Amino acid sequence: MLKLFSAFLICLVSATNALADGPAVDTGDTAWVLISTALVLLMTAPGLALFYSGMVRRKNVLGTLMQSFAVLCVVSIQWVLIGYSLSFGPDRLGLIGGFEFFGLSGVGQDPNPDYSATIPHQAFMLFQMMFAVITPALIAGAFAERMKFSAFLVFTLLWTTLVYDPLAHWVWGVGGWLRVLGALDFAGGAVVHISSGAAALAAALTLGKRKGYLTEIMPPHNLPLTVIGAGLLWFGWFGFNAGSALGANGLAATAFLTTNTAAAGAGLSWMAAEWLHRGKPTLLGLASGLVAGLVAITPAAGFVSPLSSIIIGLAAGVICYLSVAIMKPLFGYDDSLDAFGIHGVGGILGAVATGLFATTVVNTAGADGLFSGSGALLGKQLIAIGACFLYSFTISLVILKAIDMVMGLRVAKDDEVQGLDITQHSESGYSL
Amino acid sequence: MLKLFSAFLICLVSATNALADGPAVDTGDTAWVLISTALVLLMTAPGLALFYSGMVRRKNVLGTLMQSFAVLCVVSIQWVLIGYSLSFGPDRLGLIGGFEFFGLSGVGQDPNPDYSATIPHQAFMLFQMMFAVITPALIAGAFAERMKFSAFLVFTLLWTTLVYDPLAHWVWGVGGWLRVLGALDFAGGAVVHISSGAAALAAALTLGKRKGYLTEIMPPHNLPLTVIGAGLLWFGWFGFNAGSALGANGLAATAFLTTNTAAAGAGLSWMAAEWLHRGKPTLLGLASGLVAGLVAITPAAGFVSPLSSIIIGLAAGVICYLSVAIMKPLFGYDDSLDAFGIHGVGGILGAVATGLFATTVVNTAGADGLFSGSGALLGKQLIAIGACFLYSFTISLVILKAIDMVMGLRVAKDDEVQGLDITQHSESGYSL
Amino acid sequence: MLKLFSAFLICLVSATNALADGPAVDTGDTAWVLISTALVLLMTAPGLALFYSGMVRRKNVLGTLMQSFAVLCVVSIQWVLIGYSLSFGPDRLGLIGGFEFFGLSGVGQDPNPDYSATIPHQAFMLFQMMFAVITPALIAGAFAERMKFSAFLVFTLLWTTLVYDPLAHWVWGVGGWLRVLGALDFAGGAVVHISSGAAALAAALTLGKRKGYLTEIMPPHNLPLTVIGAGLLWFGWFGFNAGSALGANGLAATAFLTTNTAAAGAGLSWMAAEWLHRGKPTLLGLASGLVAGLVAITPAAGFVSPLSSIIIGLAAGVICYLSVAIMKPLFGYDDSLDAFGIHGVGGILGAVATGLFATTVVNTAGADGLFSGSGALLGKQLIAIGACFLYSFTISLVILKAIDMVMGLRVAKDDEVQGLDITQHSESGYSL
Amino acid sequence: MKKVEAIIKPFKLDEVKKALGELNIEGMTVTEVKGFGRQKGHSEIYRGAEYMVDFLPKVKIEVVTSDEMTPKVVAAITEAARTGKIGDGKIFITPVDDGVRIRTGERGTDAL
Amino acid sequence: MKKVEAIIKPFKLDEVKKALGELNIEGMTVTEVKGFGRQKGHSEIYRGAEYMVDFLPKVKIEVVTSDEMTPKVVAAITEAARTGKIGDGKIFITPVDDGVRIRTGERGTDAL
Amino acid sequence: MKKVEAIIKPFKLDEVKKALGELNIEGMTVTEVKGFGRQKGHSEIYRGAEYMVDFLPKVKIEVVTSDEMTPKVVAAITEAARTGKIGDGKIFITPVDDGVRIRTGERGTDAL
Ligand SMILES: Nc1ncnc2c1ncn2[C@@H]1O[C@H](COP(=O)(O)OP(=O)(O)O)[C@@H](O)[C@H]1O
Ligand SMILES: Nc1ncnc2c1ncn2[C@@H]1O[C@H](COP(=O)(O)OP(=O)(O)O)[C@@H](O)[C@H]1O
Ligand SMILES: Nc1ncnc2c1ncn2[C@@H]1O[C@H](COP(=O)(O)OP(=O)(O)O)[C@@H](O)[C@H]1O
């Protein structure tokens, strides 16, 4: 803490060592990464905020929106102070980054060639920040409509620091053990989606079901909000995936393309699955499917061909549908907005698919997957999936239990009935 | 089909011939085209989806949103598999592209200098994809609130393949007969707006009026949605028009500028026309007007001066207003959300205006129009307008009649009364 | 007028002197400034339009949306015809720009090195246009729910021409007296926020309170709209601030970073202040706070370190909260949506903070503030604040009084009760 | 005085209003309600889960009228609101002791 | 027991509530309704087409009260809701056989 | 015939519907209303200003039924809607002169 504070003081005065001598910044790459960063922010707020809040009941619309916005604020600060350093600071044992970048000391306007030689180090840091922001916001889907806001804030801060930051280091940090192992994760299939999905499952189990779950009808209160959110997610995901090329180049174009086709394929296949299963093609189904496709293509986006991405998308739509419509009722947990069912399941699917479909023809910096003749990658992907899932699930469980003991996770029964908006925030969403 | 499938297999393995030797990619141009591509996606979903769905009655909000999203999914796949090849594949007789690009075979990370020498071929293909996506989505305005969803899916697929792809080839494909002729269409006045407008008219005539049209009040159910859509359309249209410069250069700046002023002028002039005619300046009028201005400037954006664009905008607002408020009731067709009245009429207006206002002072790759002393261009524009309108109108009519015979175009009377949301999708938009 | 018209004719024919010889355009910088321009448009419409319209009562939702959209249309035209020239045309006495750029004559595709050597002059002009657009739209928050639409149009045109254009020249125009003095305003703290805040106060005082103010409950009618707006404002503000670097470089990254952290800090600190003061953390509070943080960082964004930006953000959230929750009721004016309380107060705070926290370590083109050892800058900042506030306040008052005498500012009592939507625009927002 | 209270299908409102207009009925009050009855509802599907929604949107029209007019009003509504299909709705006639026009203070049938 | 049912202009609700409070009326039920009457509606314009909207937003207040209180309640509402302009609304008084407080099962005026 | 009019807490609607179903009551009409009573409201905070909201969301159920059934209906609602906490709501029983089934023109209890 003292260390942090002195780093803070130093930075305040000496600031961001904005020298002008290092490797040259490419303006095109920088423009692309900056706009991609903005796009990923848009995914969280208002994108995900709307996607989720349209699905809850009217009385919880603000509480749900609030979660995404609060995460954005909290993690934006955490990342600058400690998160970036824990994730991307000099390696310690393959497990975590060191303190060197605390308070962004040493993170300036020049490129850091370890991560991106053509854009300002701050631009790389900002792009990564938005990934750290969206991940805990995704988890909130699992415990929608019943978590105390104060507990949520504490959870966000702890989870980001204890789960997200180490995982980001494992997979993306120079020296991180999964990176060294050779597991591929183009834009965060494991770091973002598997980790948030595993935490979501832990949260759904720890918090328990909503009052009235499966006995009362809980239809989405405002599907147009959800659909605006889905549209913004699709739009923003181009920043997420194609931005992960860290430059405006051919690889970015390929990642953009695979992202788009996977989303389209999964939107259609979820719709088709529900049509066959329930007799009607629904808009919420199409929207859920396209998100599932975006999730599944995330780890693979820069490693697979366009046609492979269609297959990944088609599979993601069907499999996530089954996990949500069949598996969830079977086991009976209340993953309210399907954070596990879509991000957990879709993320695992995508990580496996990367092991199957990756090809060095698309990206020489990648690897060849099973269908290009090599099984090694698939093995590494399975290790990465297992490690990320288990680590996130376990630590999330510990954090949640601890918070529950100290301050309680769940709002009072009466408050749940009255809704989060009035009881947690003293506001009403609408007076239409 | 077999051919397609083998092309598919080849691509899956050998993928996107991502070599690194061709003409160099410019990162700034690539950043601009990629973000422009994302902007055009945003225009369709959620932009147009919201613009349209706010105008329908509450009971059809999801059905209307669904159309734009479904088009996005369907055409994203169609374009990768066959659409791009039919539009931009090697020319056959000036009428259609060949099979060479099926499944994106040969469409890789290197530039294709035939179309854009400074960005990856895949980026050009993606940018064009989003144009193919939005066009059939526009048509849906004409038959809002009454078309069967299954019929809509079939229509979208057929129309894109049989109408859009050939027209894109005629106007923009190397060797396309209208391109060879010298007709100018900077960003799709003919390909996108005239073609969708003509199809919209065909659809309004084929499907017939909504139950209660002109006898019942059918006010927009949620104008804020429409206005969010209008704002996103304006924003996205910078990608549509300025992105059509295919680079981040002076021409892009000019196209950006003419786009903005035309939208502003048309928003004001529609508002003023309605104010004079009906006594009040309406928000829906201003929003409709700005879209009309965006439509009208589309073919002209990179060929005319800023002040010309103001004039084009002012004209578009008034003329589209008259077509919607005077012409439509006169003839009595039910172009429900004025897809013909705004996109057809505005597109024709813009193509004519290009023949009048174009000047090589703005763009040496363009041509001089009537007001710069040459009548030749205007003649070519009229040929292009006529050809595109007639082709689209005729084929659309044939497609619609065929679908009607095979599976029926229109929902049952009772279903129309109950609304598309419940009868087609088993969902409700709101439980507020 | 005649002059204007002939300039107009010349431009129409000779157009935008689109030569190809001047200093070279950098594609990356151009891509960044064009997309930033689009982002700032998005801030006004639909961003600010939604932010404001969600807070009014249902009966005024369209009237409030209409104001932002109408400003966008009116100022887009005004800027092309005269505004840009008055602001950035060759200097006259340090006070105003000359007529040289009327009708954009001489504003072409080549860079104008006076302002930006690496992007087309038109791109610079467009970027500045969007600042001129948003500023009067901000003021509308002060007189929401009671101004005549016709009076609003006249006010917008006069205010932009008589207040905004000169102020932009003072601060940013080559030769402008505040620029010469050395006052710093990175992205418009004084030009945009202090000027609109001062005008807002003048408007709140001139128009008087809404009927029922403080006696009736006037809760926001649709907070999700407000929150969508807040999200779009955050997203767009990256264009506003980081775009003000006028290139895709390290400075843009720093401005992006300070913008984000200030918004996050202020969102949290407003929330915390309200939590302490009223016992609940509200979503409207968090959203208001983040906007306050964005306002406060605007003048400082490219001059201060990331950690300073957190402090500025934290301060902005608390101080703007106090101005809105304590100062406003104390004095009893009805600044309905807190245009003065957030933009005026936040803008002043930011300009002062620039004088305190600025450091040449971050930006050599900047200056050192008090905490880097030099008090001179702070003095200049205070002069700039005083001059901009007083000029805007005084002229705004004169304009408003004049309009009131000629045509009346305020709708009739009965119309206020019935709402602007029906009485000014003959429309209803919803029929849900 | 009687209050005639009709619960009808929403899309029949215009026709009923017109029919009442022909009787020179100059006032009525309309409420959006949800009806439960023999007419069956519809199912809705959200993420693969199917719900039965058995409350249907209906419109309630209230007309207070003189005893003499009551049968005519009932007849007019019955005719205008009928489609012949299940769910057409009900009319209930209830007694009203008195009425007041707030603006003038008029009482009884003068208040209508 | 009587039910006093008043249809008033929405912005008068607060004043009426206050006036009833002064009578120690401690309960009421409020519904948003649409009214059709002598007060003319307004026109709306969508893409150049003009519609007459003749249903106006009104608020219905229902107060069940004892027979003795009824005239006072009626008087209080009449006074508080009056603007003197057309469309101020109506009050209807209807008989109530009995009332129950669900929480306690109390009956009659005790239930109020 | 009587109209039984119950104002209850919204989340009790399903239980009340079920309880009525057990009595073979096959029709009812439901309205969203706002209630004011002994149950206190909640405060809302907007930009530091605190408002008291004393109107609470309630649901009004109307069931028209025969005189014989009326006590049973009242009892069923009372039981199903009770939580024992303040604000559970009221039931009012009012007389109905006649009823009509619009579809068939049936009258009286046949219309139900
Ligand atoms: N006993 C009742 N009390 C109050 N409202 C009723 C009653 N029965 C029916 N309704 C209302 O009348 C509507 C139509 O009734 P329903 O049984 O569906 O068809 P029908 O009118 O053809 O008999 C219902 O939706 C409900 O609103
Ligand atoms: N006969 C009636 N039955 C039921 N409601 C009525 C009747 N007449 C009027 N109303 C209600 O009273 C409101 C006011 O009536 P209106 O004729 O406009 O003005 P006024 O109350 O001044 O006579 C109407 O909007 C309607 O809701
Ligand atoms: N006199 C009344 N007339 C009409 N409705 C009433 C009356 N008193 C109460 N109500 C309704 O009943 C609801 C519950 O009343 P309240 O006094 O809060 O609790 P309780 O039912 O436990 O006595 C109120 O919200 C209101 O809708």
Side-chain angles (χ1 to χ4, degrees), chain A residues 99-117:
Chain A
F99 308 136
E100 286 81 347
F101 293 159
F102 265 38
L104 299 189
S105 114
V107 181
Q109 297 182 356
D110 293 323
N112 174 349
D114 280 354
Y115 291 112
S116 54

Side-chain angles (χ1 to χ4, degrees), chain B residues 26 221 223 254 281 283-284 361, chain C residues 14 27 109 122 425 427 429 431:
Chain B
D26 180 286
H221 89 286
L223 277 178
T254 298
L283 176 57
L284 180 60
V361 181
Chain C
S14 78
T27 57
Q109 297 183 356
Q122 289 184 346
H425 308 293
E427 293 170 294
S431 63

Side-chain angles (χ1 to χ4, degrees), chain D residues 27-29 62 64 101 103, chain E residues 35-39 58 87 89-90:
Chain D
M28 72 188 84
T29 300
E62 287 165 288
V64 176
R101 186 193 306 277
R103 174 165 46 100
Chain E
F36 177 77
R38 277 181 199 80
Q39 188 190 1
K58 299 277 172 191
K90 319 277 176 188

Side-chain angles (χ1 to χ4, degrees), chain A residues 1-12 14-17 77-90 92 96-108 121 125 161 165, chain C residues 306-307 310:
Chain A
M1 191 61 216
L2 205 76
K3 196 150 194 175
L4 181 66
F5 189 61
S6 62
F8 175 85
L9 279 186
I10 290 164
C11 285
L12 207 64
S14 78
T16 59
N17 69 329
I77 306 284
Q78 185 270 1
W79 190 251
V80 163
L81 296 181
I82 59 167
Y84 181 66
S85 198
L86 294 179
S87 303
F88 292 92
R92 299 283 186 278
I96 192 91
F99 308 136
E100 286 81 347
F101 293 159
F102 265 38
L104 299 189
S105 114
V107 181
H121 192 179
M125 182 277 299
T161 309
D165 295 346
Chain C
L307 294 182
I310 296 181

Side-chain angles (χ1 to χ4, degrees), chain A residues 307 310, chain B residues 4 8 77-83 85 101-104:
Chain A
L307 294 183
I310 297 181
Chain B
L4 181 66
F8 174 89
I77 305 283
Q78 186 270 1
W79 190 251
V80 164
L81 296 181
I82 59 168
S85 198
F101 293 159
F102 265 37
L104 299 188

Side-chain angles (χ1 to χ4, degrees), chain A residues 147-169:
Chain A
M147 195 170 187
K148 275 163 83 171
F149 181 67
S150 53
F152 173 78
L153 284 181
V154 174
F155 173 74
T156 298
L157 199 57
L158 291 177
W159 193 88
T160 301
T161 309
L162 302 179
V163 180
Y164 185 84
D165 295 346
L167 282 183
H169 186 76

Side-chain angles (χ1 to χ4, degrees), chain D residues 2 34 38 54 90-91 93, chain F residues 17 30 97-98 100 111:
Chain D
K2 298 289 178 197
K34 286 184 179 154
R38 278 182 198 79
D54 22 47
K90 319 276 179 189
I91 304 175
I93 298 113
Chain F
K17 199 187 79 180
V30 170
D97 293 356
D98 198 3
V100 183

Side-chain angles (χ1 to χ4, degrees), chain C residues 39-420:
Chain C
L39 288 175
V40 184
L41 176 128
L42 190 74
M43 287 174 66
T44 308
L48 182 72
L50 294 171
F51 185 68
Y52 276 174
S53 67
M55 275 189 268
V56 299
R57 285 163 292 174
R58 179 195 158 117
K59 62 187 176 183
N60 297 316
V61 57
L62 301 182
T64 307
L65 287 165
M66 185 76 168
Q67 291 174 337
S68 294
F69 276 82
V71 166
L72 171 57
C73 292
V74 167
V75 178
S76 286
I77 306 282
Q78 185 270 2
W79 189 252
V80 164
L81 297 181
I82 59 169
Y84 180 66
S85 198
L86 294 178
S87 304
F88 293 92
D91 181 59
R92 300 282 188 276
L93 302 169
L95 295 176
I96 191 92
F99 309 135
E100 286 81 348
F101 292 159
F102 265 38
L104 298 190
S105 114
V107 181
Q109 297 183 356
D110 292 323
N112 174 350
D114 280 355
Y115 291 111
S116 53
T118 62
I119 61 171
H121 192 180
Q122 289 184 346
F124 175 78
M125 181 277 300
L126 282 164
F127 184 62
Q128 292 296 339
M129 179 197 284
M130 296 308 167
F131 285 65
V133 162
I134 200 170
T135 310
L138 292 170
I139 306 171
F143 49 67
E145 309 200 293
R146 58 198 185 284
M147 195 169 188
K148 276 162 81 168
F149 180 68
S150 53
F152 173 77
L153 285 181
V154 174
F155 172 74
T156 298
L157 198 57
L158 291 177
W159 192 88
T160 301
T161 310
L162 302 180
V163 179
Y164 184 85
D165 294 345
L167 282 183
H169 186 76
W170 295 3
V171 177
W172 289 328
V174 169
W177 74 273
L178 285 169
R179 178 175 167 148
V180 170
L181 175 72
L184 294 181
D185 187 0
F186 190 73
V191 181
V192 174
H193 297 293
I194 296 179
S195 77
S196 62
L201 188 60
L205 296 175
T206 317
L207 272 100
K209 299 171 200 173
R210 284 167 295 173
K211 189 172 169 343
Y213 180 60
L214 294 184
T215 62
E216 280 170 36
I217 300 183
M218 299 179 176
H221 89 287
N222 193 340
L223 276 179
L225 285 192
T226 294
V227 169
I228 301 175
L232 293 180
L233 283 170
W234 191 326
F235 175 64
W237 223 292
F238 292 128
F240 201 91
N241 285 2
S244 289
L246 296 175
N249 47 40
L251 183 59
T254 298
F256 195 114
L257 167 55
T258 55
T259 299
N260 192 68
T261 43
L268 291 178
S269 71
W270 181 307
M271 181 183 89
E274 203 165 16
W275 204 340
L276 287 172
H277 180 212
R278 289 295 186 192
K280 285 283 167 62
T282 71
L283 176 58
L284 180 60
L286 190 148
S288 307
L290 71 88
V291 172
L294 291 164
V295 168
I297 200 64
T298 294
F303 301 121
V304 302
S305 76
L307 294 182
S308 303
S309 72
I310 296 181
I311 298 174
I312 294 173
L314 292 174
V318 174
I319 291 175
C320 290
Y321 177 72
L322 294 176
S323 89
V324 160
I326 309 285
M327 188 175 78
K328 185 171 73 164
L330 206 72
F331 288 102
Y333 54 88
D334 181 12
D335 176 14
S336 315
L337 312 178
D338 298 309
F340 168 66
I342 291 178
H343 297 277
V345 173
I348 292 171
L349 173 70
V352 171
T354 307
L356 300 175
F357 292 97
T359 160
T360 49
V361 181
V362 167
N363 186 344
T364 49
D368 278 317
L370 196 65
F371 297 163
S372 298
S374 155
L377 179 61
L378 187 57
K380 295 170 186 174
Q381 294 300 99
L382 293 175
I383 293 172
I385 293 168
C388 291
F389 195 96
L390 284 180
Y391 181 77
S392 173
F393 186 82
T394 317
I395 308 293
S396 301
L397 220 55
V398 172
I399 296 173
L400 288 162
K401 293 279 182 205
I403 296 175
D404 202 11
M405 280 172 48
V406 176
M407 62 192 294
L409 282 171
R410 212 173 151 149
V411 298
K413 277 254 163 69
D414 277 1
D415 288 2
E416 195 179 331
V417 169
Q418 213 186 337
L420 300 181

